[in-house]
């Protein structure tokens, strides 16, 4: 009897499920609903970005003038400009990209074009993936131990740039590898078939075709270099310096740390409100500006490559 | 079975007992063939029988494949191309290759043709002449002479393929390998390329893989029929098509299988 009841019960369920399947939204309605949700998500994201941008611009634009961009901070940083922080951040970008870009591209070329599918290659790839997921404060400590102490570069532009270049190396390697993978095999084959060596093929056909992808990856990393605080905190950024760094061994100021100092530990947090927003705005403009440059470079190469 | 060696007084390419494995799988079995200078040799056979594999042995493109093992001897003008001190890059300069899919580089028409000579160190002054001559030989000069700077990818498929031929000619090879050069093209473009290959025969030795029997019959002097990695029959095209010795050859060219 029991068994019978069970069977009946499941029979019943089965019919219900079938009934459920019969109840279908017609395609048009479901399309509309899906579209509405997708559209809403986009709106929310774009909305937030716009609100944040507007908020920073609204609060910051008053602070920005020639003096703000070209003068040293004065009166315990409650007055004057942020010139040394701007210069410091630009130096960091230049310094870390100078190291990380060529090294990253070369590593990617080696891994993608030369290294076979061996255990060693696999290990290297794993290491790079892990590096990409490491918190930036760990890079800061590592930079402190290696560059500041062991190599004796001291707290300096050099130590910070090298630390940041380690931080962005995995991003650049990954982006370059992806870009190399998208270059059709046919390009390589037909170049080799013309009696062109492997390296020349990479140099003259593969790399140019990969440049748009490499540039995109590099720009992502410029954003990180400009925005990171932890890695430079341990390795060279200064709380306040009334002058520009005069060599790679000097300490320096940087925009994100300056902002942090003003907003948390500054002498008068309320008094520097507009300087804070002004600093944030400048940081934003630098990153967006570099993004724009990257888009233009990419466009230029795309045009050259495609029809 | 192998009917490869025939009486050719001075073969330019001499293949002896060529065996090739992709991993465990044997793709070429004891292939021997003599290919004379300034001739067109067509290679025919059903899909997967090893035609591309064979032709890629002649300029060592198979070197690029990971677990590919080759045994036997390929001699080109008395050099064993698998010998220990052969420079593969030099070999590929003298044995050019045109692929199935037209694949110009994403550069201008001019740069595509100039690519090889430039890298091989041609004089800047000579470059224009080399490019023009190669485009003439590939029968595409008239169509592109007024837009050498435009992107190669803006050309039609058939034009792109002739551009690829020009690119190969610009390196001044002695032998040109064609792997189904017209299978992605329309009939008119195909005819143009067939005419072109027949003109090129004066100056080059040509080996062409094709699935098109009329094409093989129309343009080639010699024909080789492959089946499952073996060269079943090789001889003058007329003989192969009119009077094949092997039953399977006859079946294939009359369309009874493949
Ligand atoms: N890179 C490779 N790795 C493993 N096997 C391969 C490889 N390339 C070709 N083969 C195999 O070798 C055999 C011969 O292939 P090949 O490409 O030479 O044939 P084909 O005669 O050119 O055929 P098609 O007319 O379709 O082009 C096939 O069975 C194929 O699957
Ligand atoms: Mg093939």
């Amino acid at each position: 009897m029991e068994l019978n009841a069970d069977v009946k019960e499941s029979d019943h369920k089965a019919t219900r499920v079938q009934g459920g399947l019969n109840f279908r939204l017609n395609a048009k309605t479901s399309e509309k609903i899906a579209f509405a949700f997708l559209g809403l998500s986009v709106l929310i994201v774009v909305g937030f970005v716009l609100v944040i941008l507007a908020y920073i611009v609204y609060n910051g634009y008053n602070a920005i003038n020639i003096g703000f961009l070209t003068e040293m901070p004065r009166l315990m940083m409650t007055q004057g400009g942020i010139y040394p922080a701007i210069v410091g951040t630009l130096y960091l970008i230049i310094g870390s990209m100078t190291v990380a870009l060529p090294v990253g591209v070369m590593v990617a070329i080696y891994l993608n074009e030369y290294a076979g599918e061996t255990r060693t290659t696999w290990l290297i790839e794993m290491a790079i993936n892990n590096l990409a997921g490491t918190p930036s404060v760990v890079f800061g400590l590592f930079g402190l131990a290696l560059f500041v102490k062991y190599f004796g570069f001291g707290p300096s532009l050099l130590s910070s740039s090298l630390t940041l270049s380690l931080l962005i190396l995995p991003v650049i390697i990954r982006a370059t590898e992806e870009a190399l993978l998208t270059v059709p095999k046919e390009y390589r084959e037909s170049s080799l078939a013309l009696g062109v060596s492997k390296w020349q093929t990479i140099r003259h056909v593969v790399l140019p075709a990969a440049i748009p992808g490499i540039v995109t990856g590099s720009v992502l990393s410029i954003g990180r270099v400009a925005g990171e605080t932890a890695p430079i905190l341990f390795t060279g950024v200064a709380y306040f310096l009334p002058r520009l760094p005069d060599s790679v061994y000097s300490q320096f100021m940087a925009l994100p740390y300056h902002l942090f100092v003003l907003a948390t530990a500054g002498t008068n947090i309320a008094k520097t409100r507009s300087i804070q927003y002004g600093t944030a705005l400048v940081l934003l403009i630098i990153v967006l500006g570099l993004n724009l440059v990257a888009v233009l470079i990419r466009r230029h190469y795309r045009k050259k490559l495609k029809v | 079975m192998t009917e490869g060696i025939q009486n050719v007084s001075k073969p330019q390419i001499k293949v002896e007992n060529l065996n090739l494995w992709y991993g465990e799988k044997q793709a070429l079995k004891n292939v021997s063939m003599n290919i004379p200078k300034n001739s067109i040799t067509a290679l025919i056979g059903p899909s997967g029988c090893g035609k591309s594999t064979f032709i890629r042995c002649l300029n060592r493109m198979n070197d690029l494949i990971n677990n590919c093992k080759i045994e036997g001897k390929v001699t080109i003008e008395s050099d064993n191309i698998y010998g220990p001190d052969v420079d593969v890059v030099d070999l590929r300069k003298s044995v050019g290759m045109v692929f199935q899919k037209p694949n110009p580089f994403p550069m201008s028409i001019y740069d595509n043709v100039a690519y090889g000579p430039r890298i091989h160190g041609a004089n800047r002054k000579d470059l224009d002449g080399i490019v023009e001559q190669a485009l003439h030989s590939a029968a595409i000069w008239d169509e592109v002479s007024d837009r050498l700077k435009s992107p190669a990818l803006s050309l039609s498929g058939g034009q792109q393929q002739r551009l690829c031929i020009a690119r190969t000619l610009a390196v001044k090879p002695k032998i040109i390998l064609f792997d189904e050069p017209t299978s992605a093209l329309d009939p008119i473009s195909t005819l143009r390329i067939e005419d072109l290959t027949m003109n090129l025969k004066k100056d080059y030795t040509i080996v062409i893989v094709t699935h098109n029997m009329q094409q093989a019959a129309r343009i080639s002097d010699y024909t080789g029929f492959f089946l499952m990695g073996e060269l079943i029959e090789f001889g003058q095209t007329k003989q192969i098509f009119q009077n094949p010795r092997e039953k399977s050859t006859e079946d294939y060219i009359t369309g009874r299988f493949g």
Side-chain angles (χ1 to χ4, degrees), chain B residues 47-48 50-53 55 100 179-180 209 211:
Chain B
S47 204
K51 306 178 296 293
S52 299
T53 302
I55 207 176
Q100 178 171 1
D179 193 352
E180 299 186 45
V209 171
H211 275 284

Side-chain angles (χ1 to χ4, degrees), chain A residues 95-97 99-100 147 160-170 225:
Chain A
S96 55
M97 289 310 269
V99 178
F147 302 123
S160 287
S161 297
L162 291 173
T163 308
L164 284 171
S165 60
L166 286 184
L167 180 82
I168 58 175
L169 209 47
V225 169

